[in-house]
Short mmCIF file of all heavy atoms in Angstrom, two decimals:
data_model
loop_
_atom_site.label_atom_id
_atom_site.label_comp_id
_atom_site.label_asym_id
_atom_site.label_seq_id
_atom_site.Cartn_x
_atom_site.Cartn_y
_atom_site.Cartn_z
N ALA D 130 6.89 -13.56 -9.49
CA ALA D 130 5.58 -13.98 -10.01
C ALA D 130 5.52 -15.49 -10.25
O ALA D 130 6.38 -16.06 -10.91
CB ALA D 130 5.28 -13.24 -11.31
N GLU D 131 4.49 -16.09 -9.67
CA GLU D 131 4.18 -17.50 -9.90
C GLU D 131 2.68 -17.62 -10.07
O GLU D 131 1.92 -16.89 -9.44
CB GLU D 131 4.62 -18.36 -8.71
CG GLU D 131 6.11 -18.39 -8.47
CD GLU D 131 6.46 -19.21 -7.23
OE1 GLU D 131 5.54 -19.78 -6.59
OE2 GLU D 131 7.65 -19.28 -6.91
N ALA D 132 2.27 -18.55 -10.93
CA ALA D 132 0.83 -18.75 -11.14
C ALA D 132 0.15 -19.07 -9.81
O ALA D 132 0.65 -19.87 -9.02
CB ALA D 132 0.61 -19.88 -12.14
N GLY D 133 -0.97 -18.41 -9.56
CA GLY D 133 -1.74 -18.63 -8.34
C GLY D 133 -1.28 -17.80 -7.15
O GLY D 133 -1.92 -17.82 -6.11
N SER D 134 -0.17 -17.09 -7.29
CA SER D 134 0.32 -16.29 -6.17
C SER D 134 -0.18 -14.85 -6.27
O SER D 134 -0.70 -14.44 -7.30
CB SER D 134 1.86 -16.30 -6.12
OG SER D 134 2.39 -15.61 -7.23
N CYS D 135 -0.02 -14.12 -5.18
CA CYS D 135 -0.42 -12.72 -5.14
C CYS D 135 0.75 -11.89 -4.61
O CYS D 135 1.42 -12.30 -3.66
CB CYS D 135 -1.62 -12.52 -4.22
SG CYS D 135 -3.09 -13.39 -4.76
N ILE D 136 0.98 -10.75 -5.22
CA ILE D 136 2.02 -9.83 -4.78
C ILE D 136 1.34 -8.50 -4.48
O ILE D 136 0.68 -7.93 -5.34
CB ILE D 136 3.10 -9.65 -5.87
CG1 ILE D 136 3.78 -10.99 -6.17
CG2 ILE D 136 4.12 -8.60 -5.43
CD1 ILE D 136 4.73 -10.95 -7.34
N LEU D 137 1.50 -8.02 -3.26
CA LEU D 137 0.89 -6.77 -2.83
C LEU D 137 1.97 -5.70 -2.77
O LEU D 137 2.98 -5.88 -2.09
CB LEU D 137 0.23 -6.94 -1.47
CG LEU D 137 -0.46 -5.73 -0.86
CD1 LEU D 137 -1.59 -5.23 -1.76
CD2 LEU D 137 -0.98 -6.06 0.53
N VAL D 138 1.77 -4.61 -3.50
CA VAL D 138 2.73 -3.51 -3.53
C VAL D 138 2.06 -2.29 -2.92
O VAL D 138 1.02 -1.85 -3.40
CB VAL D 138 3.17 -3.20 -4.98
CG1 VAL D 138 4.18 -2.05 -5.00
CG2 VAL D 138 3.74 -4.44 -5.65
N PHE D 139 2.64 -1.75 -1.86
CA PHE D 139 2.12 -0.55 -1.23
C PHE D 139 2.81 0.67 -1.84
O PHE D 139 4.03 0.73 -1.90
CB PHE D 139 2.37 -0.55 0.28
CG PHE D 139 1.50 -1.50 1.03
CD1 PHE D 139 1.94 -2.77 1.33
CD2 PHE D 139 0.23 -1.12 1.42
CE1 PHE D 139 1.13 -3.66 2.02
CE2 PHE D 139 -0.60 -1.99 2.11
CZ PHE D 139 -0.15 -3.27 2.41
N LEU D 140 2.01 1.63 -2.29
CA LEU D 140 2.52 2.87 -2.88
C LEU D 140 1.81 4.04 -2.23
O LEU D 140 0.70 3.90 -1.71
CB LEU D 140 2.29 2.86 -4.40
CG LEU D 140 3.08 1.78 -5.15
CD1 LEU D 140 2.56 1.63 -6.56
CD2 LEU D 140 4.56 2.13 -5.16
N PRO D 141 2.40 5.25 -2.27
CA PRO D 141 1.85 6.38 -1.53
C PRO D 141 0.53 6.94 -2.03
O PRO D 141 -0.22 7.51 -1.25
CB PRO D 141 2.95 7.45 -1.59
CG PRO D 141 3.93 6.99 -2.58
CD PRO D 141 3.70 5.55 -2.85
N GLY D 142 0.19 6.81 -3.29
CA GLY D 142 -1.05 7.41 -3.77
C GLY D 142 -1.48 6.86 -5.11
O GLY D 142 -0.79 6.04 -5.73
N ILE D 143 -2.64 7.32 -5.56
CA ILE D 143 -3.23 6.81 -6.79
C ILE D 143 -2.38 7.11 -8.02
O ILE D 143 -2.32 6.31 -8.95
CB ILE D 143 -4.69 7.33 -6.97
CG1 ILE D 143 -5.41 6.60 -8.10
CG2 ILE D 143 -4.71 8.82 -7.18
CD1 ILE D 143 -5.72 5.16 -7.83
N GLY D 144 -1.68 8.22 -8.04
CA GLY D 144 -0.81 8.55 -9.18
C GLY D 144 0.31 7.54 -9.33
O GLY D 144 0.57 7.04 -10.44
N GLU D 145 0.96 7.20 -8.23
CA GLU D 145 2.04 6.21 -8.27
C GLU D 145 1.50 4.83 -8.62
O GLU D 145 2.15 4.06 -9.33
CB GLU D 145 2.77 6.16 -6.92
CG GLU D 145 3.56 7.40 -6.60
CD GLU D 145 2.76 8.52 -5.94
OE1 GLU D 145 1.53 8.37 -5.78
OE2 GLU D 145 3.33 9.56 -5.62
N ILE D 146 0.30 4.52 -8.12
CA ILE D 146 -0.33 3.23 -8.43
C ILE D 146 -0.60 3.13 -9.93
O ILE D 146 -0.29 2.12 -10.57
CB ILE D 146 -1.62 3.04 -7.62
CG1 ILE D 146 -1.30 2.92 -6.13
CG2 ILE D 146 -2.40 1.83 -8.10
CD1 ILE D 146 -2.51 2.98 -5.22
N ALA D 147 -1.17 4.18 -10.52
CA ALA D 147 -1.48 4.17 -11.95
C ALA D 147 -0.21 4.08 -12.79
O ALA D 147 -0.17 3.34 -13.79
CB ALA D 147 -2.27 5.43 -12.32
N ASP D 148 0.85 4.79 -12.38
CA ASP D 148 2.11 4.71 -13.11
C ASP D 148 2.68 3.31 -13.09
O ASP D 148 3.13 2.78 -14.11
CB ASP D 148 3.14 5.69 -12.52
CG ASP D 148 2.82 7.15 -12.81
OD1 ASP D 148 1.99 7.42 -13.70
OD2 ASP D 148 3.40 8.02 -12.12
N LEU D 149 2.67 2.68 -11.90
CA LEU D 149 3.20 1.32 -11.81
C LEU D 149 2.34 0.34 -12.60
O LEU D 149 2.85 -0.57 -13.25
CB LEU D 149 3.32 0.87 -10.35
CG LEU D 149 3.89 -0.53 -10.18
CD1 LEU D 149 5.33 -0.61 -10.70
CD2 LEU D 149 3.82 -0.97 -8.73
N GLN D 150 1.02 0.53 -12.55
CA GLN D 150 0.13 -0.33 -13.32
C GLN D 150 0.47 -0.25 -14.81
O GLN D 150 0.60 -1.28 -15.48
CB GLN D 150 -1.33 0.06 -13.09
CG GLN D 150 -2.32 -0.80 -13.84
CD GLN D 150 -3.75 -0.32 -13.68
OE1 GLN D 150 -4.01 0.87 -13.51
NE2 GLN D 150 -4.69 -1.25 -13.72
N ASP D 151 0.66 0.96 -15.33
CA ASP D 151 1.03 1.13 -16.74
C ASP D 151 2.37 0.45 -17.03
O ASP D 151 2.52 -0.24 -18.04
CB ASP D 151 1.11 2.62 -17.10
CG ASP D 151 -0.24 3.30 -17.09
OD1 ASP D 151 -1.28 2.60 -17.10
OD2 ASP D 151 -0.26 4.56 -17.05
N ASP D 152 3.35 0.66 -16.14
CA ASP D 152 4.66 0.04 -16.34
C ASP D 152 4.57 -1.48 -16.36
O ASP D 152 5.19 -2.13 -17.19
CB ASP D 152 5.63 0.48 -15.23
CG ASP D 152 6.06 1.92 -15.33
OD1 ASP D 152 5.75 2.58 -16.35
OD2 ASP D 152 6.72 2.40 -14.38
N LEU D 153 3.82 -2.03 -15.43
CA LEU D 153 3.68 -3.49 -15.35
C LEU D 153 3.03 -4.06 -16.59
O LEU D 153 3.51 -5.04 -17.16
CB LEU D 153 2.86 -3.88 -14.12
CG LEU D 153 3.60 -3.98 -12.81
CD1 LEU D 153 2.61 -4.19 -11.67
CD2 LEU D 153 4.61 -5.09 -12.85
N ILE D 154 1.94 -3.45 -17.01
CA ILE D 154 1.22 -3.97 -18.17
C ILE D 154 2.08 -3.90 -19.41
O ILE D 154 2.19 -4.88 -20.16
CB ILE D 154 -0.12 -3.23 -18.34
CG1 ILE D 154 -1.07 -3.60 -17.19
CG2 ILE D 154 -0.76 -3.55 -19.69
CD1 ILE D 154 -2.32 -2.76 -17.10
N SER D 155 2.73 -2.77 -19.66
CA SER D 155 3.54 -2.64 -20.87
C SER D 155 4.79 -3.51 -20.82
O SER D 155 5.13 -4.17 -21.80
CB SER D 155 3.90 -1.18 -21.13
OG SER D 155 4.70 -0.68 -20.09
N SER D 156 5.47 -3.56 -19.69
CA SER D 156 6.70 -4.35 -19.63
C SER D 156 6.40 -5.84 -19.65
O SER D 156 7.14 -6.62 -20.23
CB SER D 156 7.52 -3.99 -18.39
OG SER D 156 6.84 -4.36 -17.23
N TRP D 157 5.29 -6.24 -19.02
CA TRP D 157 4.96 -7.67 -19.02
C TRP D 157 4.52 -8.12 -20.41
O TRP D 157 4.88 -9.20 -20.86
CB TRP D 157 3.89 -7.98 -17.98
CG TRP D 157 3.98 -9.42 -17.59
CD1 TRP D 157 3.28 -10.46 -18.10
CD2 TRP D 157 4.88 -9.99 -16.65
NE1 TRP D 157 3.67 -11.63 -17.52
CE2 TRP D 157 4.66 -11.38 -16.62
CE3 TRP D 157 5.86 -9.46 -15.82
CZ2 TRP D 157 5.37 -12.25 -15.79
CZ3 TRP D 157 6.56 -10.33 -14.99
CH2 TRP D 157 6.31 -11.70 -14.99
N ALA D 158 3.79 -7.26 -21.10
CA ALA D 158 3.39 -7.60 -22.48
C ALA D 158 4.63 -7.75 -23.36
O ALA D 158 4.72 -8.69 -24.18
CB ALA D 158 2.48 -6.53 -23.04
N MET D 159 5.62 -6.87 -23.18
CA MET D 159 6.85 -6.96 -23.96
C MET D 159 7.62 -8.24 -23.61
O MET D 159 8.12 -8.94 -24.47
CB MET D 159 7.74 -5.74 -23.69
CG MET D 159 8.99 -5.72 -24.56
SD MET D 159 10.15 -4.38 -24.20
CE MET D 159 9.15 -3.06 -23.60
N THR D 160 7.67 -8.56 -22.32
CA THR D 160 8.37 -9.76 -21.88
C THR D 160 7.72 -11.01 -22.46
O THR D 160 8.41 -11.91 -22.95
CB THR D 160 8.38 -9.83 -20.33
OG1 THR D 160 9.00 -8.65 -19.83
CG2 THR D 160 9.11 -11.04 -19.83
N LEU D 161 6.41 -11.07 -22.42
CA LEU D 161 5.69 -12.23 -22.97
C LEU D 161 5.88 -12.32 -24.48
O LEU D 161 6.04 -13.41 -25.03
CB LEU D 161 4.21 -12.17 -22.60
CG LEU D 161 3.87 -12.40 -21.13
CD1 LEU D 161 2.37 -12.23 -20.91
CD2 LEU D 161 4.30 -13.78 -20.68
N SER D 162 5.86 -11.18 -25.18
CA SER D 162 6.02 -11.20 -26.64
C SER D 162 7.42 -11.68 -27.04
O SER D 162 7.60 -12.21 -28.13
CB SER D 162 5.75 -9.82 -27.23
OG SER D 162 6.79 -8.92 -26.88
N GLN D 163 8.39 -11.51 -26.15
CA GLN D 163 9.74 -11.98 -26.42
C GLN D 163 9.95 -13.42 -25.97
O GLN D 163 11.05 -13.95 -26.05
CB GLN D 163 10.76 -11.07 -25.73
CG GLN D 163 10.75 -9.66 -26.24
CD GLN D 163 11.61 -8.72 -25.39
OE1 GLN D 163 12.10 -9.08 -24.34
NE2 GLN D 163 11.76 -7.49 -25.87
N GLY D 164 8.86 -14.03 -25.47
CA GLY D 164 8.93 -15.42 -25.03
C GLY D 164 9.68 -15.63 -23.73
O GLY D 164 10.11 -16.74 -23.43
N GLN D 165 9.82 -14.57 -22.92
CA GLN D 165 10.58 -14.67 -21.67
C GLN D 165 9.71 -14.86 -20.44
O GLN D 165 10.18 -15.35 -19.44
CB GLN D 165 11.45 -13.42 -21.49
CG GLN D 165 12.48 -13.26 -22.56
CD GLN D 165 13.23 -11.94 -22.44
OE1 GLN D 165 12.85 -11.07 -21.67
NE2 GLN D 165 14.30 -11.79 -23.21
N GLY D 166 8.47 -14.45 -20.49
CA GLY D 166 7.61 -14.54 -19.32
C GLY D 166 7.11 -15.95 -19.11
O GLY D 166 6.83 -16.67 -20.07
N ASN D 167 7.01 -16.36 -17.85
CA ASN D 167 6.55 -17.71 -17.58
C ASN D 167 5.14 -17.74 -16.99
O ASN D 167 4.58 -18.80 -16.80
CB ASN D 167 7.52 -18.43 -16.65
CG ASN D 167 7.73 -17.68 -15.35
OD1 ASN D 167 7.22 -16.58 -15.16
ND2 ASN D 167 8.49 -18.27 -14.45
N VAL D 168 4.58 -16.58 -16.69
CA VAL D 168 3.25 -16.51 -16.11
C VAL D 168 2.63 -15.16 -16.49
O VAL D 168 3.33 -14.17 -16.63
CB VAL D 168 3.30 -16.71 -14.57
CG1 VAL D 168 4.05 -15.58 -13.91
CG2 VAL D 168 1.92 -16.84 -13.97
N ALA D 169 1.33 -15.15 -16.65
CA ALA D 169 0.63 -13.89 -16.96
C ALA D 169 0.33 -13.14 -15.67
O ALA D 169 0.16 -13.75 -14.61
CB ALA D 169 -0.66 -14.19 -17.71
N LEU D 170 0.27 -11.83 -15.76
CA LEU D 170 -0.07 -11.00 -14.61
C LEU D 170 -1.51 -10.56 -14.68
O LEU D 170 -2.03 -10.25 -15.75
CB LEU D 170 0.81 -9.75 -14.58
CG LEU D 170 2.27 -9.90 -14.23
CD1 LEU D 170 2.93 -8.53 -14.17
CD2 LEU D 170 2.46 -10.64 -12.93
N GLN D 171 -2.15 -10.52 -13.54
CA GLN D 171 -3.46 -9.91 -13.38
C GLN D 171 -3.21 -8.68 -12.51
O GLN D 171 -3.07 -8.78 -11.29
CB GLN D 171 -4.42 -10.90 -12.70
CG GLN D 171 -5.80 -10.36 -12.47
CD GLN D 171 -6.68 -11.33 -11.68
OE1 GLN D 171 -6.24 -12.38 -11.24
NE2 GLN D 171 -7.93 -10.95 -11.50
N VAL D 172 -3.12 -7.51 -13.13
CA VAL D 172 -2.76 -6.28 -12.42
C VAL D 172 -4.04 -5.57 -11.98
O VAL D 172 -4.87 -5.19 -12.81
CB VAL D 172 -1.90 -5.36 -13.31
CG1 VAL D 172 -1.49 -4.11 -12.54
CG2 VAL D 172 -0.67 -6.10 -13.82
N LEU D 173 -4.20 -5.40 -10.68
CA LEU D 173 -5.39 -4.80 -10.11
C LEU D 173 -5.01 -3.61 -9.23
O LEU D 173 -3.92 -3.58 -8.66
CB LEU D 173 -6.16 -5.82 -9.27
CG LEU D 173 -6.60 -7.08 -10.03
CD1 LEU D 173 -7.09 -8.14 -9.06
CD2 LEU D 173 -7.66 -6.75 -11.03
N VAL D 174 -5.92 -2.66 -9.11
CA VAL D 174 -5.70 -1.48 -8.29
C VAL D 174 -6.66 -1.51 -7.11
O VAL D 174 -7.87 -1.70 -7.29
CB VAL D 174 -5.92 -0.19 -9.11
CG1 VAL D 174 -5.84 1.04 -8.22
CG2 VAL D 174 -4.90 -0.10 -10.23
N LEU D 175 -6.11 -1.33 -5.92
CA LEU D 175 -6.93 -1.26 -4.71
C LEU D 175 -6.75 0.12 -4.11
O LEU D 175 -5.70 0.45 -3.55
CB LEU D 175 -6.50 -2.34 -3.71
CG LEU D 175 -7.32 -2.46 -2.44
CD1 LEU D 175 -8.79 -2.73 -2.76
CD2 LEU D 175 -6.77 -3.56 -1.55
N HIS D 176 -7.76 0.96 -4.29
CA HIS D 176 -7.72 2.35 -3.82
C HIS D 176 -9.15 2.85 -3.71
O HIS D 176 -10.04 2.40 -4.45
CB HIS D 176 -6.92 3.21 -4.80
CG HIS D 176 -6.61 4.57 -4.28
ND1 HIS D 176 -7.51 5.62 -4.32
CD2 HIS D 176 -5.49 5.07 -3.68
CE1 HIS D 176 -6.96 6.68 -3.78
NE2 HIS D 176 -5.75 6.38 -3.39
N SER D 177 -9.38 3.78 -2.82
CA SER D 177 -10.74 4.28 -2.59
C SER D 177 -11.34 4.98 -3.82
O SER D 177 -12.55 5.09 -3.93
CB SER D 177 -10.76 5.23 -1.40
OG SER D 177 -9.94 6.36 -1.65
N LEU D 178 -10.50 5.45 -4.74
CA LEU D 178 -11.01 6.13 -5.93
C LEU D 178 -11.38 5.18 -7.06
O LEU D 178 -11.91 5.61 -8.08
CB LEU D 178 -9.98 7.15 -6.45
CG LEU D 178 -9.66 8.30 -5.50
CD1 LEU D 178 -8.59 9.21 -6.10
CD2 LEU D 178 -10.91 9.10 -5.17
N VAL D 179 -11.13 3.90 -6.88
CA VAL D 179 -11.41 2.89 -7.90
C VAL D 179 -12.82 2.35 -7.67
O VAL D 179 -13.29 2.24 -6.54
CB VAL D 179 -10.36 1.76 -7.83
CG1 VAL D 179 -10.69 0.63 -8.78
CG2 VAL D 179 -8.99 2.32 -8.12
N ALA D 180 -13.51 2.00 -8.75
CA ALA D 180 -14.88 1.48 -8.66
C ALA D 180 -14.93 0.25 -7.75
O ALA D 180 -13.99 -0.54 -7.68
CB ALA D 180 -15.39 1.11 -10.06
N ARG D 181 -16.04 0.10 -7.07
CA ARG D 181 -16.23 -0.99 -6.11
C ARG D 181 -16.00 -2.37 -6.75
O ARG D 181 -15.41 -3.25 -6.14
CB ARG D 181 -17.65 -0.89 -5.53
CG ARG D 181 -18.03 -1.97 -4.58
CD ARG D 181 -17.22 -1.89 -3.33
NE ARG D 181 -17.54 -3.04 -2.49
CZ ARG D 181 -17.43 -3.03 -1.21
NH1 ARG D 181 -17.00 -1.96 -0.60
NH2 ARG D 181 -17.70 -4.09 -0.51
N GLU D 182 -16.45 -2.56 -7.98
CA GLU D 182 -16.29 -3.84 -8.65
C GLU D 182 -14.81 -4.18 -8.83
O GLU D 182 -14.40 -5.33 -8.68
CB GLU D 182 -16.98 -3.85 -10.02
CG GLU D 182 -18.49 -3.67 -9.96
CD GLU D 182 -18.92 -2.22 -9.73
OE1 GLU D 182 -18.18 -1.28 -10.11
OE2 GLU D 182 -20.00 -2.02 -9.14
#
Side-chain angles (χ1 to χ4, degrees):
E131 295 178 2
S134 68
C135 298
I136 299 173
L137 180 61
V138 180
F139 287 95
L140 295 166
I143 190 69
E145 292 85 357
I146 293 170
D148 289 344
L149 181 63
Q150 181 185 30
D151 292 344
D152 289 352
L153 276 172
I154 291 170
S155 63
S156 66
W157 204 265
M159 185 185 330
T160 302
L161 290 177
S162 70
Q163 296 171 352
Q165 297 174 350
N167 57 355
V168 65
L170 289 184
Q171 179 185 4
V172 182
L173 302 169
V174 174
L175 184 58
H176 191 278
S177 62
L178 296 178
V179 174
R181 177 67 185 206
E182 296 78 28

